[in-house]
Amino acid sequence: MLELYVDANAPGGGNGSRDLPWQSPVTARDYIRALKAGEGLPTGGVTVFLRGGTYTLSSTFALTSSDSGEATKPIVWRNYYGETVYLCGGRVLSAGSFAAITEGDPNWSKFPSGARSSILVYDLAGAGITDYGTLQPRGYAI
């Protein structure tokens, strides 16, 4: 059986071993895909150990039927013993970077005066977030 390791806090340049883990589960997934397409899965299959921590993913992490093992060569994804793993599909925003809305904000007049003191704003572009996907109207939006 092949054991692969991923650690969100590892330095770059790992090889998936216990001592030099990869930083991202995406790297492990892609390695296993290449392994299957080449020499095939090893006897006993593959276990991917995710070390404890938060894995912030910038795009969808999809495991499809092509990522499945075989009856005698399973592919197992699991946390490392006793460690807690979080897969985060977004960015962590610093609480200290939220600020009260000001009169200079173009949306100021859209809010009732009594609510304005409770509204906080965040500069997403300033945090390096510029891809908002495709915004779609929902519900009764025109």
Side-chain angles (χ1 to χ4, degrees):
M1 173 177 43
L2 174 63
E3 292 182 350
L4 300 173
Y5 295 83
V6 181
D7 186 341
N9 300 309
N15 61 12
S17 68
R18 184 187 316 238
D19 295 330
L20 293 170
W22 290 307
Q23 287 180 321
S24 171
V26 173
T27 307
R29 180 202 59 198
D30 294 348
Y31 176 85
I32 295 168
R33 285 179 178 176
L35 184 66
K36 282 181 66 174
E39 62 192 65
L41 294 173
T43 302
V46 178
T47 298
V48 179
F49 288 100
L50 298 173
R51 298 302 307 253
T54 300
Y55 296 83
T56 303
L57 305 170
S58 60
S59 60
T60 301
F61 176 64
L63 295 172
T64 67
S65 60
S66 65
D67 298 303
S68 295
E70 301 167 15
T72 60
K73 298 177 180 181
I75 299 173
V76 177
W77 291 78
R78 60 160 296 152
N79 64 310
Y80 192 75
Y81 307 103
E83 297 182 1
T84 302
V85 173
Y86 299 96
L87 297 178
C88 180
R91 297 263 309 263
V92 177
L93 303 179
S94 167
S97 296
F98 283 87
I101 194 168
T102 63
E103 288 184 49
D105 190 290
N107 294 306
W108 174 264
S109 63
K110 296 178 182 177
F111 300 108
S113 59
R116 292 177 186 146
S117 64
S118 300
I119 297 173
L120 300 176
V121 294
Y122 195 96
D123 180 9
L124 293 175
I129 301 170
T130 56
D131 181 1
Y132 310 120
T134 303
L135 300 178
Q136 300 285 337
R138 302 275 192 254
Y140 295 102
I142 297 177

